[in-house]
Amino acid sequence: DQFDNLDKHTQWGIDFLEKYAKFVKERIEIEQNYAKQLRNLVKKYCPKRSSKDEEPRFTSCIAFFNILNELNDYAGQREVVAEEMGHRVYGELMRYSHDLKTERKMHLQEGRKAQQYLDMCWKQMDNSKKKFERECREAEKAQQSYERLDNDTNATKADVEKAKQQLNLRTHMADENKNEYAAQLQNFNGEQHKHYYIVIPQIYKQLQEMDERRTIKLSECYKGFADSERKVIPIISKCLEGMILAAKSVDEHRDSQIVIDCFKSGFEPPGDFPFEDYSQNIYRTISDGTISTPKQEGMRIDSKTTVGKAKGKLWLFGKKPKPQSPPLTPTSLYTSSTPNGSQYPIFSIEPVHYCMSDIKTGKPRIPSFRSLKRGYLYLQGPALEDFSHLPPEQRRKKLQQRIDELNRELQKETDQKDALIKMKDVYEKNPQMGDPGSLQPKLAETMSNMDRLRMEIHKNEAWLSEVEGKVAARSDRRHSSDINHLVTQGRESPEGSYTDDANQEVRGPPQQHAHPGEFDDEFEDDDPLPAIGHCKAIYPFDGHNEGTLAMKEGEILYIIEEDKGDGWTRARRHNGEEGYVPTSYIDVTLEKNSKGA
């Protein structure tokens, strides 16, 4: 008797099923959006490598890009979760919901039909009952009429007979309706029993089974929902382990070495700045043993003499020799007496000459290209084929990389040549497979490429040998300088310059040593250097950087210092202005007699 309630309950079950399906759909959308956002995030922070030079080299960068790759894989697993939920849970729920609605509709229709049939039987029974009741009342009226006429003495016999016939008719009809009512009643009772004990229970059982299947389906979908997530957990764990391994792969020492290899220039550090004594003229008039009292060449200095009070600059192996010593004026020569009466000359400088010597005209000269390299003041121009615009160490690495690439290309061409030769042999043995002459142009082209590559390798190896030779020479020179500096440490001349011999501490201008220009690239000289050749500017150079010399195309300059492997040549104009110009921008002509002077 709860057909309507069961109707409502089954409808609620279907609504709940669709509600859960909607929940799964929204969860799928969340997973898809999450995966999409993760992929966009990875794409945003993953660099677009357009060339080999932009590839990450530092272990921290490589680890970060590995983490991005793992995160991209993780996003892919979120997409797998969404896809699995879509097929296994949401799609199954929507199909089952459609089938469930169809089945429920069928069972409810059967129940309604059974109820309608029972109602029809009840109406038939009720109609027969009412008809029987009506006929019985009519029979009672006919009987009362017959009894009244039969007792009436005034009634005729014909009226009595007529009333009797009417009574018999009504009684007969009442009996027929009674039988009809009894049959309908029996039929209704049977149908009603069948309805409540057979038909409706069967329909309710089918509805119950349907609802239980719906519940089981929900349980399976709940499990499938969790299984979709659990299936990708091992792969997600691998992604997380990959991130951890990427984090452990970071090596700070290796990154530091990469930075060193990347920016190592190969130049020598600049030397110490010399001490320039400006207090010398204070003591120039003192004639007896003072701080600035000089001795004759070859004599020992006084133990009370202060070291380093001289205008000359400090050099590792003595004061730097000058090409020409300034002439002595009469006013610059004095004599002084020692306690034993001996006299010796004093070399001094006039105040005017002393002041004028400190005035610098034109552009200040720089000690060497090393000061230009401080701050990466590289050549402002196109990259040269021999990488001479780079520092020695970087140039050596670039040349080595190019040689390796050329060797790889040469190996490819060699393999291709061998393959062509084998193919040609096969064609010669089996002419039906192909024409051997058709391979000759390709073979000639391959041989030409091999010759070209060998020439390129030879040229680059020559440049590499030149760079390695210069770097080795500088390293040996620096090592020798360090040793000599340790040997001469503690021995200074009165003018503040180190001497090569402990027994030969001189005063005044030093003697000319061998290799006078050995340290010209590290310290500047007070006197102008002699010209060793001339050059013609092939390209214009602006010379904005400090220590460089601007020049116009076709301009003629004097060469005062050759290129020492750093890509710069020291030049001088006719007006005496000096500076460095790019070697690749000029056409140099050296004088044979002046070279190395």
Side-chain angles (χ1 to χ4, degrees):
D1 60 347
Q2 298 297 318
F3 184 82
D4 294 337
N5 290 332
L6 289 179
D7 184 6
K8 294 178 181 178
H9 172 73
T10 52
Q11 182 61 41
W12 172 85
I14 294 176
D15 293 341
F16 182 78
L17 185 71
E18 292 180 344
K19 183 177 181 180
Y20 178 69
K22 185 178 179 181
F23 161 77
V24 175
K25 182 181 179 181
E26 292 182 0
R27 170 64 189 278
I28 291 172
E29 292 176 354
I30 290 174
E31 291 289 347
Q32 290 174 344
N33 292 333
Y34 179 47
K36 183 178 180 180
Q37 291 177 2
L38 285 179
R39 289 193 182 276
N40 291 336
L41 182 67
V42 171
K43 185 178 180 181
K44 177 181 178 181
Y45 285 92
C46 194
K48 298 179 180 178
R49 295 193 289 268
S50 58
S51 63
K52 249 186 178 180
D53 297 336
E54 298 180 5
E55 291 183 359
R57 294 173 294 173
F58 298 103
T59 57
S60 56
C61 297
I62 295 174
F64 175 64
F65 296 143
N66 290 335
I67 289 175
L68 289 179
N69 292 332
E70 296 294 344
L71 187 61
N72 192 47
D73 295 340
Y74 176 81
Q77 295 308 309
R78 302 319 308 179
E79 292 176 347
V80 171
V81 170
E83 185 177 358
E84 185 73 13
M85 287 183 180
H87 290 293
R88 185 175 177 182
V89 182
Y90 179 72
E92 187 67 23
L93 282 175
M94 296 307 294
R95 287 191 298 270
Y96 187 75
S97 175
H98 181 268
D99 297 340
L100 196 65
K101 289 179 181 179
T102 304
E103 184 179 0
R104 173 180 173 275
K105 183 178 180 181
M106 181 185 67
H107 293 323
L108 292 179
Q109 285 179 353
E110 291 177 356
R112 290 190 181 94
K113 286 180 180 180
Q115 188 67 39
Q116 289 175 1
Y117 180 71
L118 183 63
D119 292 342
M120 184 187 67
C121 293
W122 180 83
K123 286 181 180 180
Q124 290 178 355
M125 183 272 297
D126 187 59
N127 290 335
S128 62
K129 177 183 177 181
K130 290 179 180 179
K131 189 176 181 181
F132 171 64
E133 182 181 4
R134 187 172 59 252
E135 290 297 330
C136 287
R137 284 197 299 270
E138 291 294 332
E140 288 178 358
K141 289 181 182 179
Q143 185 177 4
Q144 291 176 2
S145 177
Y146 170 73
E147 290 177 354
R148 188 180 67 250
L149 289 175
D150 189 33
N151 294 327
D152 186 7
T153 56
N154 295 325
T156 63
K157 187 176 180 179
D159 292 335
V160 173
E161 286 295 330
K162 186 178 179 179
K164 185 177 180 180
Q165 290 177 358
Q166 187 68 25
L167 174 63
N168 292 333
L169 179 63
R170 292 297 178 183
T171 302
H172 178 71
M173 291 181 66
D175 292 337
E176 287 181 355
N177 287 324
K178 180 180 179 181
N179 294 332
E180 179 68 20
Y181 168 64
Q184 292 295 334
L185 180 61
Q186 185 178 2
N187 181 53
F188 172 74
N189 289 333
E191 293 295 334
Q192 182 174 254
H193 184 275
K194 181 181 179 182
H195 177 80
Y196 285 107
Y197 286 92
I198 299 175
V199 178
I200 291 298
Q202 186 177 1
I203 294 174
Y204 284 0
K205 185 178 181 181
Q206 292 173 351
L207 289 173
Q208 180 181 352
E209 291 175 353
M210 180 193 72
D211 193 65
E212 289 176 355
R213 289 198 305 271
R214 175 190 63 82
T215 306
I216 293 173
K217 179 59 69 174
L218 280 174
S219 175
E220 293 176 354
C221 290
Y222 294 159
K223 185 179 178 181
F225 184 84
D227 287 340
S228 300
E229 186 84 22
R230 187 172 59 182
K231 283 182 179 179
V232 300
I233 287 179
I235 304 178
I236 291 178
S237 299
K238 290 183 179 180
C239 294
L240 298 177
E241 289 175 2
M243 295 181 184
I244 294 175
L245 291 176
K248 291 181 179 179
S249 67
V250 176
D251 188 352
E252 65 279 7
H253 302 295
R254 184 178 176 185
D255 287 354
S256 299
Q257 188 62 39
I258 291 174
V259 175
I260 293 172
D261 295 339
C262 181
F263 298 110
K264 184 178 180 181
S265 64
F267 291 113
E268 299 178 18
D272 297 337
F273 280 90
F275 176 78
E276 298 185 5
D277 189 3
Y278 296 100
S279 62
Q280 184 180 9
N281 56 344
I282 300 176
Y283 305 101
R284 77 164 58 88
T285 57
I286 301 176
S287 60
D288 54 354
T290 61
I291 294 177
S292 63
T293 302
K295 293 183 178 182
Q296 291 180 352
E297 183 176 348
M299 297 183 64
R300 306 291 294 182
I301 63 172
D302 187 62
S303 60
K304 296 181 181 181
T305 302
T306 303
V307 177
K309 297 294 183 68
K311 183 177 178 294
K313 298 179 181 179
L314 295 177
W315 291 83
L316 294 178
F317 305 104
K319 188 174 181 181
K320 182 179 179 181
K322 300 178 182 179
Q324 295 179 353
S325 298
L328 296 175
T329 59
T331 58
S332 64
L333 183 62
Y334 299 89
T335 59
S336 178
S337 301
T338 58
N340 57 7
S342 62
Q343 295 184 351
Y344 55 92
I346 299 177
F347 298 97
S348 181
I349 303 174
E350 284 294 326
V352 176
H353 182 270
Y354 175 80
C355 294
M356 292 299 293
S357 64
D358 288 339
I359 297 176
K360 306 293 184 182
T361 60
K363 283 191 176 180
R365 289 176 293 175
I366 58 175
S368 70
F369 182 61
R370 289 168 187 78
S371 60
L372 282 178
K373 300 307 287 185
R374 307 292 181 182
Y376 295 97
L377 298 179
Y378 291 159
L379 175 62
Q380 297 181 355
L384 302 177
E385 183 183 6
D386 59 350
F387 300 110
S388 58
H389 62 288
L390 296 177
E393 188 68 23
Q394 301 301 322
R395 182 186 180 191
R396 183 185 64 79
K397 292 179 181 178
K398 288 289 186 181
L399 289 173
Q400 188 62 51
Q401 290 177 3
R402 180 185 287 174
I403 291 172
D404 295 339
E405 292 176 359
L406 291 172
N407 283 325
R408 286 193 292 269
E409 293 180 8
L410 180 60
Q411 184 62 38
K412 290 181 181 178
E413 294 292 337
T414 305
D415 296 339
Q416 186 175 359
K417 183 197 72 172
D418 296 339
L420 290 172
I421 292 175
K422 290 181 180 179
M423 190 179 296
K424 184 178 179 182
D425 294 339
V426 172
Y427 286 174
E428 290 176 350
K429 294 178 181 179
N430 300 310
Q432 67 274 10
M433 296 184 66
D435 182 15
S438 62
L439 300 177
Q440 192 62 33
K442 186 66 176 177
L443 190 59
E445 181 183 356
T446 304
M447 296 295 292
S448 175
N449 291 337
M450 291 175 62
D451 294 338
R452 178 181 55 81
L453 289 173
R454 287 193 185 98
M455 291 177 61
E456 289 290 332
I457 291 173
H458 179 72
K459 181 170 63 175
N460 283 274
E461 285 178 348
W463 288 335
L464 181 62
S465 299
E466 177 186 356
V467 174
E468 289 178 347
K470 290 182 179 180
V471 172
R474 288 181 180 178
S475 178
D476 294 341
R477 187 174 66 187
R478 183 168 61 249
H479 181 66
S480 175
S481 300
D482 293 340
I483 293 176
N484 290 328
H485 179 71
L486 292 174
V487 171
T488 60
Q489 187 175 5
R491 301 196 308 272
E492 293 182 274
S493 66
E495 293 182 351
S497 61
Y498 292 94
T499 60
D500 294 333
D501 190 357
N503 298 323
Q504 195 175 16
E505 298 177 0
V506 299
R507 298 176 64 88
Q511 297 295 327
Q512 184 79 9
H513 293 281
H515 307 292
E518 184 176 359
F519 298 98
D520 285 352
D521 60 332
E522 297 191 23
F523 299 92
E524 63 176 321
D525 199 357
D526 292 335
D527 295 334
L529 295 175
I532 60 175
H534 64 277
C535 67
K536 180 179 180 181
I538 305 175
Y539 308 106
F541 182 62
D542 50 17
H544 289 325
N545 296 326
E546 182 180 358
T548 59
L549 181 64
M551 61 181 181
K552 299 179 181 179
E553 183 178 356
E555 185 177 357
I556 304 298
L557 302 174
Y558 292 116
I559 301 297
I560 60 176
E561 186 177 318
E562 289 186 73
D563 183 2
K564 298 187 177 181
D566 49 18
W568 295 86
T569 300
R570 193 170 176 183
R572 181 193 300 135
R573 278 203 178 91
H574 297 281
N575 59 2
E577 187 179 2
E578 297 181 0
Y580 285 88
V581 295
T583 306
S584 58
Y585 279 37
I586 57 177
D587 184 13
V588 180
T589 302
L590 298 177
E591 301 294 340
K592 294 183 180 180
N593 297 331
S594 300
K595 187 174 181 180

